[in-house]
Amino acid sequence: MTLTDLSLVDARDGLRARRFSARELVAAHVAAIEALNPRLNAFITVTAEAALAEADAADAALGRGEAGALTGIPLAIKDLFCTADVRTTAGSRILESFVPPYESTVTANLRRDGAVFVGKTNLDEFAMGSSNMTSAFGPVESPWKRAGANGVRDAARLVPGGSSGGSAAAVAARLALGATGTDTGGSIRQPASFSGIVGIKPSYGRCSRWGVVAFASSLDHPGPFARSVEDCAVLLGSMAGHDPRDSTSVDRIVPDYAAACRRGVRGLRIGVPREYRAEGMPAEIEALWQQGLTWLREAGAEIVEISLPHTKYGLATYYIVAPAEASSNLARYDGVRFGLRVPGEDLSDMYKRTRAAGFGTEVRRRILIGTYVLSAGYYDAYYLRAQKVRALILRDFTEAFAQVDALLTPTTPSAAFAHGENMDDPVKMWLNDVFTVPADLAGVPAMSVPAGLDADGLPLGLQVIGRLFDEETVFAVGAVIEQAAGFTALPSIRAGV
Ligand code: GLN
């Protein structure tokens, strides 16, 4: 087995036992990035030199017996997290040359525990998208391909999902042992599902948003990706924690998530929301969902049908609240303080030229929608109404969790699609988020676990949703699904096809 195929936990144990050095581990990942990133475009910035120097420091710490939870572990960082002295673009031209003087709390926490950063990953511009096609730095190619007839792989380039598509592709293709992402409407879980890896969006407030480029502040959730549930548990344990610099960060003990992975599901009640039976959903996704419920029942859980009656308003609510907050957050990119400046005849001409040159189509669409729904004449009809519906969606979850301990649903209504698909129809693209946005609107934790392959050999994920701040049960249920599914399929790029 090569070093890049190890799980994060096995790599950590191997480092501590000195079976290989941090330099060897990081160099193996840097070599994999050099070989495969030209095709995948998963990284916007590769920090190979700094990573190797950090690896040497990690080896020195390991030699002194001073290993942290992640000492010497190579990770990829979504280019939405500010990293001190390393360019942070948010996938946008407007921040193309922005080098933050500060470090986000989440990445600082990972560094505190010894992690090594191999680079900054590609994403939809300002995390707005479900495909990674809206990045100003070009699309990411999924490491997966559809199985064609006669065993010859279909040539179509597929999307890794979005917006954290670069992070998901990097972890799936074994260019890093784990990665950070952010989930505002599904951007951790949907790319995890499309890419055959695990991703968890913790409860709102678990991970600090400080130093994360803001999209929609009441919905942005930082979280980890990895190739196993336990690896995600270790990463989240490091990323999470109270941060006085983020007023929405919660002051609660961070439990031992890795221990929670071993709890099992005996005696748990698992809810099946009947409203998640979307019309037109492929039969194989429905079948996988049923299979997931069978696995949980066989492991000792009780399956209960429940109702989340306001599910059908989730997407509409999200696509009012998220653009509204985005239009406000993105007002700061005016050519004065950050990144790009295009000179103009006067100040307002400079603003206009800078924003016209700096923002792509999807970002402009969101700013326009957001400005509209917040405008004096429409605020009550759209924004205020959406906030009321959001409260009803939260109440649905509260009522459901009075009856059950966790919910099981599909993560997405389809497997990965091809580059260019859904691009001319934004609403069709937004439908990808139908199963993921409710958990963002409610702030409850939710994970995607790879559970099987579709008829084309593409990964499909199942989603586990938990009570607010009960990530532990989400990890317990996710680990049982992972164990039962025994998902070992390699992405095409690593299977040599
Ligand atoms: N696909 C959703 C959107 O475009 C979610 C993005 C996200 O979670 N950052 O807004």
Side-chain angles (χ1 to χ4, degrees):
M1 189 184 251
T2 58
L3 292 178
T4 51
D5 283 325
L6 292 173
S7 71
L8 186 154
V9 165
D10 288 345
R12 176 198 65 192
D13 295 346
L15 285 172
R16 288 184 185 170
R18 314 309 311 269
R19 281 196 287 279
F20 43 84
S21 66
R23 177 166 262 269
E24 287 168 313
L25 182 66
V26 171
H29 286 89
V30 167
I33 293 171
E34 280 166 3
L36 298 181
N37 195 53
R39 184 169 136 198
L40 298 176
N41 199 28
F43 287 86
I44 293 175
T45 304
V46 178
T47 51
E49 221 173 285
L52 289 168
E54 289 165 27
D56 289 340
D59 280 324
L62 286 157
R64 292 192 302 269
E66 288 171 5
L70 294 168
T71 296
I73 297 294
L75 300 180
I77 303 298
K78 185 180 188 179
D79 208 13
L80 200 64
F81 291 80
C82 286
T83 40
D85 304 325
V86 175
R87 179 170 78 133
T88 300
T89 68
S92 182
R93 283 281 161 245
I94 213 156
L95 289 177
E96 187 171 14
S97 55
F98 174 56
V99 179
Y102 45 79
E103 186 82 23
S104 81
T105 299
V106 161
T107 50
N109 289 349
L110 291 168
R111 282 192 188 285
R112 171 203 64 208
D113 288 341
V116 171
F117 297 163
V118 290
K120 306 292 296 285
T121 57
N122 206 342
L123 67 154
D124 282 301
E125 186 176 2
F126 283 103
M128 298 174 188
S130 312
S131 63
N132 226 297
M133 298 297 291
T134 75
S135 168
F137 298 85
V140 174
E141 181 175 339
S142 168
W144 294 82
K145 288 217 181 287
R146 288 187 188 119
N150 318 321
V152 181
R153 291 274 159 179
D154 188 302
R157 286 149 49 94
L158 303 180
V159 303
S163 66
S164 317
S167 284
V171 172
R174 279 115 173 106
L175 309 186
L177 293 175
T180 63
T182 58
D183 193 312
T184 302
S187 282
I188 290 177
R189 290 160 288 154
Q190 185 253 20
S193 178
F194 279 14
S195 303
I197 62 171
V198 183
I200 178 167
K201 173 197 90 69
S203 308
Y204 184 75
R206 252 306 173 207
C207 287
S208 168
R209 288 180 296 104
W210 196 83
V212 181
V213 175
F215 164 8
S217 306
S218 76
L219 293 158
D220 294 343
H221 301 72
F225 288 101
R227 293 191 295 269
S228 80
V229 173
E230 189 184 4
D231 288 358
C232 271
V234 171
L235 286 173
L236 183 61
S238 176
M239 293 163 71
H242 180 235
D243 178 7
R245 289 184 295 189
D246 171 358
S247 61
T248 60
S249 150
V250 293
D251 194 358
R252 279 177 172 249
I253 284 183
V254 178
D256 183 346
Y257 295 130
C261 295
R262 294 183 283 276
R263 277 187 191 174
V265 294
R266 191 159 299 286
L268 289 187
R269 290 165 65 88
I270 305 292
V272 188
R274 71 173 74 94
E275 291 80 6
Y276 277 53
R277 281 210 176 81
E279 221 174 288
M281 186 166 76
E284 50 198 334
I285 295 189
E286 172 70 34
L288 188 69
W289 190 10
Q290 292 310 319
Q291 176 66 70
L293 294 168
T294 303
W295 288 330
L296 293 176
R297 196 181 293 112
E298 284 170 359
E302 185 190 341
I303 309 300
V304 183
E305 184 165 289
I306 56 107
S307 174
L308 298 170
H310 297 92
T311 299
K312 60 175 180 289
Y313 304 117
L315 270 183
T317 305
Y318 173 82
Y319 278 102
I320 290 171
V321 174
E325 295 185 13
S327 72
S328 164
N329 273 322
L330 271 58
R332 77 190 64 173
Y333 304 107
D334 55 8
V336 177
R337 284 160 298 178
F338 310 95
L340 183 72
R341 174 180 303 171
V342 181
E345 283 160 24
D346 52 27
L347 185 63
S348 79
D349 190 43
M350 186 276 284
Y351 290 158
K352 287 183 200 158
R353 285 173 194 261
T354 300
R355 291 168 68 83
F359 290 137
T361 314
E362 184 65 21
V363 171
R364 283 187 222 182
R365 179 181 293 131
R366 307 281 179 113
I367 292 173
L368 286 172
I369 295 171
T371 312
Y372 182 82
V373 300
L374 289 176
S375 60
Y378 295 102
Y379 182 90
D380 290 356
Y382 293 107
Y383 187 70
L384 197 63
R385 165 99 13 152
Q387 291 291 28
K388 287 180 180 168
V389 180
R390 184 177 185 178
L392 295 176
I393 290 170
L394 174 58
R395 198 171 71 191
D396 282 358
F397 280 104
T398 310
E399 285 173 3
F401 286 124
Q403 302 166 57
V404 296
D405 301 295
L407 309 176
L408 189 77
T409 78
T411 308
T412 55
S414 76
F417 45 89
H419 277 200
E421 238 176 278
N422 297 334
M423 288 303 280
D424 46 0
D425 185 348
V427 174
K428 207 166 155 215
M429 185 71 96
W430 297 351
L431 280 174
N432 260 286
D433 308 327
V434 63
F435 297 144
T436 48
V437 293
D440 292 285
L441 289 164
V444 294
M447 170 190 282
S448 180
V449 190
L453 298 173
D454 75 355
D456 291 323
L458 295 182
L460 294 172
L462 287 175
Q463 174 174 231
V464 182
I465 307 176
R467 284 192 185 97
L468 202 56
F469 299 115
D470 186 16
E471 285 82 10
E472 289 167 280
T473 299
V474 174
F475 278 113
V477 176
V480 167
I481 299 269
E482 175 180 57
Q483 171 84 30
F487 185 93
T488 52
L490 277 175
S492 329
I493 207 168
R494 279 296 186 179
V497 284

